[in-house]
Coordinates of all heavy atoms in Angstrom, one line a residue:
L209 N 0.8 -1.2 0.0 CA 0.0 0.0 0.0 C 0.8 1.3 0.0 O 0.4 2.3 0.5 CB -0.9 0.0 1.2 CG -2.0 -1.1 1.2 CD1 -2.7 -1.1 2.5 CD2 -3.0 -1.0 0.1
S210 N 2.1 1.2 -0.5 CA 2.9 2.4 -0.5 C 2.2 3.5 -1.5 O 2.3 4.7 -1.3 CB 4.3 2.1 -1.0 OG 4.2 1.5 -2.3
A211 N 1.5 2.9 -2.5 CA 0.7 3.8 -3.4 C -0.6 3.3 -3.6 O -1.3 3.6 -4.6 CB 1.5 4.0 -4.7
V212 N -1.1 2.4 -2.7 CA -2.3 1.6 -3.1 C -3.6 2.4 -3.3 O -4.5 2.0 -4.0 CB -2.5 0.5 -2.0 CG1 -3.1 1.1 -0.8 CG2 -3.3 -0.6 -2.5
I213 N -3.7 3.6 -2.6 CA -4.9 4.3 -2.7 C -4.8 5.5 -3.8 O -5.8 5.9 -4.3 CB -5.3 4.9 -1.4 CG1 -5.3 3.8 -0.3 CG2 -6.7 5.6 -1.4 CD1 -6.3 2.7 -0.7
A214 N -3.6 6.0 -4.0 CA -3.4 7.2 -4.7 C -4.2 7.2 -6.1 O -4.9 8.2 -6.3 CB -1.9 7.4 -5.0
L215 N -4.0 6.2 -6.9 CA -4.7 6.2 -8.1 C -6.2 5.8 -8.0 O -7.0 6.3 -8.7 CB -4.0 5.2 -9.1 CG -2.6 5.5 -9.5 CD1 -2.1 4.4 -10.4 CD2 -2.5 6.9 -10.1
G216 N -6.5 5.0 -7.0 CA -7.9 4.6 -6.8 C -8.8 5.7 -6.4 O -10.0 5.5 -6.6
L217 N -8.4 6.8 -5.9 CA -9.3 7.8 -5.5 C -9.5 8.8 -6.6 O -10.2 9.9 -6.4 CB -8.7 8.6 -4.3 CG -8.6 7.7 -3.0 CD1 -7.9 8.5 -1.9 CD2 -10.0 7.3 -2.6
L218 N -9.0 8.5 -7.8 CA -9.2 9.5 -8.9 C -10.5 9.5 -9.6 O -11.0 10.5 -10.0 CB -8.0 9.3 -9.9 CG -6.6 9.6 -9.4 CD1 -5.6 9.3 -10.5 CD2 -6.5 11.0 -8.9
S219 N -11.0 8.2 -9.9 CA -12.3 8.2 -10.6 C -12.9 6.8 -10.5 O -12.3 5.8 -10.3 CB -12.0 8.5 -12.1 OG -11.1 7.5 -12.6
G220 N -14.3 6.9 -10.7 CA -15.1 5.7 -10.9 C -14.8 4.5 -10.2 O -14.7 4.4 -9.0
C221 N -14.6 3.4 -11.0 CA -14.4 2.0 -10.4 C -13.1 2.0 -9.6 O -13.1 1.4 -8.5 CB -14.3 1.0 -11.5 SG -14.1 -0.7 -11.0
A222 N -12.1 2.7 -10.1 CA -10.8 2.7 -9.4 C -11.0 3.3 -8.0 O -10.4 2.8 -7.0 CB -9.8 3.5 -10.1
E223 N -11.8 4.3 -7.8 CA -12.1 4.9 -6.5 C -12.7 3.8 -5.6 O -12.3 3.7 -4.5 CB -13.0 6.1 -6.7 CG -13.4 6.7 -5.3 CD -14.2 7.9 -5.4 OE1 -14.3 8.5 -6.5 OE2 -14.8 8.4 -4.4
R224 N -13.7 3.1 -6.1 CA -14.3 2.1 -5.3 C -13.3 1.0 -4.8 O -13.3 0.6 -3.7 CB -15.5 1.5 -6.1 CG -16.2 0.3 -5.4 CD -16.8 0.7 -4.0 NE -17.8 1.8 -4.2 CZ -18.4 2.4 -3.2 NH1 -18.1 2.1 -2.0 NH2 -19.3 3.4 -3.5
L225 N -12.5 0.6 -5.8 CA -11.5 -0.4 -5.4 C -10.5 0.1 -4.4 O -10.2 -0.6 -3.4 CB -10.7 -0.8 -6.7 CG -11.5 -1.7 -7.7 CD1 -10.7 -1.8 -9.0 CD2 -11.7 -3.1 -7.1
G226 N -10.1 1.3 -4.5 CA -9.1 1.9 -3.6 C -9.7 2.0 -2.2 O -9.1 1.7 -1.2
V227 N -11.0 2.4 -2.1 CA -11.6 2.6 -0.8 C -11.9 1.2 -0.2 O -11.7 1.0 1.0 CB -12.9 3.4 -0.9 CG1 -13.7 3.3 0.4 CG2 -12.6 4.8 -1.3
D228 N -12.3 0.2 -0.9 CA -12.5 -1.1 -0.4 C -11.2 -1.7 0.2 O -11.2 -2.4 1.2 CB -13.0 -2.0 -1.5 CG -14.5 -1.8 -1.8 OD1 -15.1 -1.0 -1.1 OD2 -15.0 -2.5 -2.7
I229 N -10.1 -1.4 -0.5 CA -8.8 -2.0 0.0 C -8.4 -1.3 1.3 O -8.0 -1.9 2.2 CB -7.8 -1.8 -1.1 CG1 -8.1 -2.8 -2.3 CG2 -6.4 -2.1 -0.5 CD1 -7.3 -2.5 -3.5
A230 N -8.6 0.1 1.3 CA -8.3 0.8 2.5 C -9.1 0.3 3.7 O -8.6 0.1 4.8 CB -8.6 2.3 2.3
T231 N -10.4 0.1 3.5 CA -11.3 -0.3 4.7 C -11.0 -1.8 5.0 O -11.0 -2.2 6.2 CB -12.7 -0.1 4.4 OG1 -13.1 -0.8 3.2 CG2 -13.1 1.3 4.2
G232 N -10.7 -2.6 4.0 CA -10.4 -4.0 4.2 C -9.1 -4.2 5.0 O -9.0 -4.9 6.0
Y233 N -8.1 -3.4 4.6 CA -6.8 -3.4 5.3 C -7.0 -3.0 6.7 O -6.4 -3.6 7.7 CB -5.8 -2.5 4.6 CG -4.4 -2.5 5.2 CD1 -3.4 -3.4 4.9 CD2 -4.1 -1.5 6.2 CE1 -2.2 -3.4 5.5 CE2 -2.9 -1.5 6.8 CZ -1.9 -2.4 6.4 OH -0.7 -2.4 7.0
T234 N -7.7 -1.9 6.9 CA -7.9 -1.4 8.3 C -8.6 -2.4 9.2 O -8.1 -2.7 10.3 CB -8.6 -0.1 8.2 OG1 -7.9 0.9 7.4 CG2 -8.8 0.5 9.6
A235 N -9.7 -2.9 8.7 CA -10.5 -3.9 9.5 C -9.6 -5.1 9.9 O -9.6 -5.5 11.1 CB -11.7 -4.3 8.8
K236 N -8.9 -5.6 8.9 CA -8.1 -6.8 9.2 C -7.0 -6.6 10.2 O -6.7 -7.3 11.1 CB -7.6 -7.4 7.9 CG -6.6 -8.5 8.0 CD -7.1 -9.8 8.7 CE -6.1 -10.9 8.8 NZ -5.0 -10.5 9.7
Q237 N -6.2 -5.5 9.9 CA -5.1 -5.2 10.8 C -5.5 -4.9 12.2 O -4.8 -5.3 13.2 CB -4.2 -4.1 10.2 CG -3.5 -4.5 9.0 CD -2.5 -5.6 9.2 OE1 -2.8 -6.8 8.9 NE2 -1.4 -5.4 9.8
V238 N -6.5 -4.1 12.4 CA -7.0 -3.7 13.7 C -7.5 -5.0 14.4 O -7.3 -5.2 15.6 CB -8.0 -2.6 13.7 CG1 -8.6 -2.3 15.1 CG2 -7.3 -1.3 13.1
C239 N -8.3 -5.8 13.7 CA -8.9 -7.0 14.4 C -7.7 -7.9 14.9 O -7.7 -8.3 16.0 CB -9.7 -7.7 13.4 SG -10.5 -9.2 14.0
S240 N -6.8 -8.2 14.0 CA -5.7 -9.1 14.4 C -4.8 -8.4 15.5 O -4.3 -9.1 16.4 CB -4.8 -9.5 13.2 OG -5.6 -10.3 12.3
G241 N -4.6 -7.1 15.3 CA -3.7 -6.4 16.3 C -4.3 -6.4 17.7 O -3.6 -6.6 18.7
V242 N -5.7 -6.2 17.7 CA -6.3 -6.1 19.0 C -6.6 -7.5 19.6 O -6.3 -7.8 20.8 CB -7.6 -5.3 18.9 CG1 -8.5 -5.4 20.2 CG2 -7.3 -3.8 18.6
F243 N -7.2 -8.4 18.8 CA -7.7 -9.6 19.4 C -6.7 -10.8 19.4 O -6.8 -11.7 20.2 CB -9.0 -10.1 18.6 CG -10.2 -9.2 18.9 CD1 -10.7 -8.4 17.9 CD2 -10.8 -9.1 20.1 CE1 -11.8 -7.5 18.1 CE2 -11.8 -8.3 20.4 CZ -12.4 -7.5 19.4
V244 N -5.7 -10.7 18.5 CA -4.7 -11.7 18.4 C -3.5 -11.3 19.2 O -3.0 -12.0 20.1 CB -4.3 -12.1 16.9 CG1 -3.2 -13.1 16.9 CG2 -5.6 -12.7 16.2
A245 N -2.9 -10.1 18.8 CA -1.7 -9.6 19.4 C -1.9 -9.0 20.7 O -1.0 -8.9 21.5 CB -1.0 -8.6 18.5
G246 N -3.2 -8.5 21.0 CA -3.4 -7.9 22.3 C -2.8 -6.5 22.4 O -2.6 -6.0 23.5
L247 N -2.6 -5.8 21.3 CA -2.0 -4.5 21.3 C -3.1 -3.5 21.4 O -4.3 -3.7 21.0 CB -1.2 -4.3 20.0 CG 0.0 -5.2 19.9 CD1 0.6 -5.0 18.5 CD2 1.0 -4.8 20.9
P248 N -2.8 -2.3 21.9 CA -3.8 -1.2 22.0 C -4.3 -0.8 20.6 O -3.4 -0.7 19.6 CB -3.0 -0.1 22.6 CG -1.9 -0.7 23.3 CD -1.5 -1.9 22.5
E249 N -5.5 -0.5 20.4 CA -6.1 -0.2 19.1 C -5.4 1.1 18.5 O -5.1 1.1 17.3 CB -7.6 0.1 19.2 CG -8.2 0.5 17.9 CD -9.7 0.7 18.0 OE1 -10.4 -0.1 18.7 OE2 -10.2 1.7 17.4
D250 N -5.1 2.1 19.4 CA -4.5 3.3 18.9 C -3.1 3.1 18.4 O -2.6 3.7 17.4 CB -4.6 4.4 19.9 CG -3.8 4.1 21.2 OD1 -3.3 2.9 21.3 OD2 -3.6 5.0 22.0

């Protein structure tokens, strides 16, 4: 994700794909970080 959203926020379908990836990454990382690793959410 070093540039994973940059192009996706420009237009149409690419925008949807970029946002989906951003929310998917966030949900997965926070879930595993909190419930598996036991780390603070922040």
Side-chain angles (χ1 to χ4, degrees):
L209 297 172
S210 59
V212 77
I213 306 302
L215 298 181
L217 293 176
L218 295 180
S219 63
C221 179
E223 176 176 346
R224 175 61 57 185
L225 287 169
V227 171
D228 282 358
I229 291 166
T231 57
Y233 181 88
T234 302
K236 171 63 180 64
Q237 287 303 100
V238 174
C239 183
S240 294
V242 169
F243 292 111
V244 177
L247 294 171
E249 179 180 319
D250 61 352

